[in-house]
Amino acid sequence: MKKIIAFLLLVSMLLCLPSCSKESIDLKIEDIKDVVEIEMSVKGHGKMTLELYHDIAPATVENFVKLTTEGFYDGTVFHRIMNGFMIQGGDDNGDGIGGSSETIKGEFASNGFKNDLSHERGVISMARTSNDYNSASSQFFIMHDDNAGLDGDYAAFGKMTDGFDTLDSIATVPVQYNAYKTERSVPVDEVVLEYVIITGTYDRDGADAADNTEPLETKSEEELYADPVNVEISVKNHGVITLELYPNLAPITVENFLNLAKSGYYEGSVFHRVIEDFMIQGGAGDQSAKSIKGEFSSNGVYNPLKHTRGVISMARTEIPNSASSQFFICHKDSSHLDGDYAAFGKVIKGIEVVDSVATVPTGYGDMPEEDVVIEYVKVLGEAEDTSTSDTTADTTASAELK
């Protein structure tokens, strides 16, 4: 199931009921920041956590927050479910023709609004009528699989960060034909949205702090790569990869990665996307991780580290500041990524382990046919400790690659 949780790319608010796992907040519209975190509880299926992007679709997010704080969604159902496409809810009538009393402007490209958030698995977007761009009110849908055909015509406004098993559970319920006999999408048994709560709001990490620091381009190459931090990634049945990370080059990215590693976030996660001669991607944990500022040149941050073989970099969506926990390691040189992704370190030992992972059999969505499990990510200590760990890493890799 961890492969399914991690697949995406991809990575998260209201009145709390006694069964809520997180504390809700009463968020006023004027207090909304760049990102709003919400939790949905679906009876008999589980919970989903999402991030809503106020800095991408402000009117849409404000409308969703308003309805949530009013308790509009509590007790409604997912009335339209299409496995491999999306699940749709937010209709107070439960039949697809209801909605709130107000409609909002459609924040998407064909309606004259810049919105680069693609309709990938886990993305939440607004439903509307086909002949009115500004007809969205309360109904929303969550993508069960990628569908770029919706991009530019529907207002995507956030994405899931956890609970993909719940999404899959809902998407696979038995369905029957709708009243018009046009599609099989109506659940045989009701799928009830017990509650939606707001759990937090924040501005994207590092965006303000970066403006108050010395510009990176004033530092020499020697300074940028000075004082590296070494880490180990142990991959079950493949071996150990040792990397050095550059905190002077990408301080926000490195700090985020180290904090996640020290917290045990990556333990038991998988490399969920593997493309030989390109890269191996992993780092989608079971818990949500906040988005960080993208430290690369097209996002206004000087970062000269090229995406050559063995370089580690951050995965993200089309949104420059959407990276959170997922990373990738280049299997081969990929210069087309330079300037658009936050490279922050490189492999110094265990490149043969990267090769081993990169050549595993894969299936749909470039997912390995068998889990490629990250046993741990460990931050190494002083030089003598690093030497001891590296010796162990070589022995392990050699033994497991025979």
Side-chain angles (χ1 to χ4, degrees):
M1 187 58 68
K2 288 182 180 294
K3 288 190 297 183
I4 299 175
I5 295 174
F7 177 48
L8 343 158
L9 345 24
L10 78 16
V11 349
S12 301
M13 294 175 237
L14 296 172
L15 178 62
C16 192
L17 302 179
S19 60
C20 295
S21 63
K22 297 182 180 179
E23 183 180 355
S24 67
I25 63 173
D26 184 14
L27 182 62
K28 296 179 173 59
I29 298 300
E30 59 269 24
D31 295 328
I32 297 176
K33 298 183 180 180
D34 291 344
V35 180
V36 175
E37 298 170 312
I38 69 168
E39 179 181 275
M40 293 183 178
S41 178
V42 185
K43 185 177 181 180
H45 293 273
K47 295 181 176 65
M48 296 180 286
T49 59
L50 302 95
E51 293 179 339
L52 310 183
Y53 301 131
H54 186 240
D55 52 353
I56 293 175
T60 307
V61 172
E62 288 173 14
N63 177 69
F64 195 92
V65 167
K66 176 179 177 291
L67 292 172
T68 302
T69 55
E70 293 172 351
F72 180 91
Y73 293 117
D74 300 348
T76 59
V77 299
F78 283 96
H79 62 275
R80 185 172 180 234
I81 294 175
M82 302 180 73
N83 188 14
F85 179 30
M86 59 88 221
I87 62 173
Q88 183 171 333
D91 172 15
D92 56 344
N93 285 348
D95 56 6
I97 61 174
S100 64
S101 59
E102 297 179 0
T103 58
I104 57 174
K105 178 179 175 62
E107 295 176 306
F108 44 84
S110 60
N111 201 30
F113 193 95
K114 180 177 172 57
N115 183 340
D116 295 328
L117 184 57
S118 181
H119 287 78
E120 299 176 341
R121 174 171 161 84
V123 162
I124 185 172
S125 188
M126 291 301 290
R128 62 173 178 84
T129 61
S130 59
N131 59 352
D132 187 351
Y133 284 170
N134 300 318
S135 59
S137 60
S138 62
Q139 291 190 44
F140 64 89
F141 58 93
I142 301 174
M143 302 303 300
H144 185 225
D145 206 346
D146 299 353
N147 194 319
L150 302 180
D151 295 349
D153 289 322
Y154 292 85
F157 64 104
K159 67 176 182 180
M160 288 182 57
T161 59
D162 197 12
F164 283 88
D165 52 343
T166 301
L167 172 64
D168 292 331
S169 176
I170 297 169
T172 53
V173 300
V175 293
Q176 56 194 347
Y177 278 105
N178 60 15
Y180 308 101
K181 305 298 182 183
T182 55
E183 64 181 26
R184 292 178 64 92
S185 61
V186 179
V188 173
D189 297 314
E190 282 192 338
V191 179
V192 179
L193 182 54
E194 294 180 299
Y195 64 77
V196 182
I197 60 171
I198 299 173
T199 59
T201 185
Y202 64 91
D203 287 326
R204 297 189 186 274
D205 291 352
D208 296 328
D211 294 335
N212 299 322
T213 58
E214 179 185 10
L216 288 177
E217 56 266 42
T218 65
K219 297 179 181 179
S220 67
E221 292 284 310
E222 182 178 354
E223 290 175 312
L224 288 175
Y225 298 108
D227 305 316
V229 178
N230 287 3
V231 299
E232 280 184 354
I233 300 177
S234 178
V235 187
K236 187 177 182 180
N237 298 327
H238 292 271
V240 176
I241 305 167
T242 306
L243 305 98
E244 59 179 23
L245 312 182
Y246 306 119
N248 293 334
L249 175 79
I252 297 168
T253 307
V254 171
E255 180 182 13
N256 178 69
F257 186 89
L258 295 178
N259 286 341
L260 291 172
K262 292 174 183 177
S263 72
Y265 181 92
Y266 292 120
E267 294 179 8
S269 63
V270 299
F271 282 100
H272 62 276
R273 185 169 179 242
V274 171
I275 305 177
E276 187 177 0
D277 293 329
F278 179 30
M279 59 88 225
I280 61 174
Q281 182 174 334
D286 288 334
Q287 303 165 349
S288 62
K290 289 186 176 182
S291 302
I292 59 173
K293 180 177 176 66
E295 295 178 303
F296 44 86
S297 60
S298 65
N299 201 34
V301 179
Y302 180 66
N303 184 340
L305 183 58
K306 305 296 185 183
H307 286 80
T308 55
R309 173 170 161 82
V311 161
I312 184 172
S313 187
M314 291 300 291
R316 64 174 179 86
T317 68
E318 289 83 356
I319 306 166
N321 298 322
S322 61
S324 57
S325 63
Q326 292 192 41
F327 62 87
F328 61 92
I329 301 174
C330 294
H331 184 222
K332 292 297 172 88
D333 295 356
S334 301
S335 59
H336 63 285
L337 302 179
D338 296 345
D340 288 322
Y341 291 84
F344 63 103
K346 66 179 181 181
V347 174
I348 57 173
K349 189 167 291 187
I351 193 66
E352 71 279 2
V353 179
V354 177
D355 294 333
S356 177
V357 175
T359 53
V360 300
T362 58
Y364 178 73
D366 303 309
M367 288 194 299
E369 293 178 357
E370 297 183 3
D371 281 347
V372 180
V373 179
I374 297 175
E375 296 180 299
Y376 64 79
V377 179
K378 179 168 62 177
V379 182
L380 301 180
E382 300 299 324
E384 58 269 21
D385 296 330
T386 302
S387 176
T388 302
S389 298
D390 287 345
T391 301
T392 304
D394 276 351
T395 303
T396 305
S398 176
E400 294 180 344
L401 287 171
K402 288 182 179 179

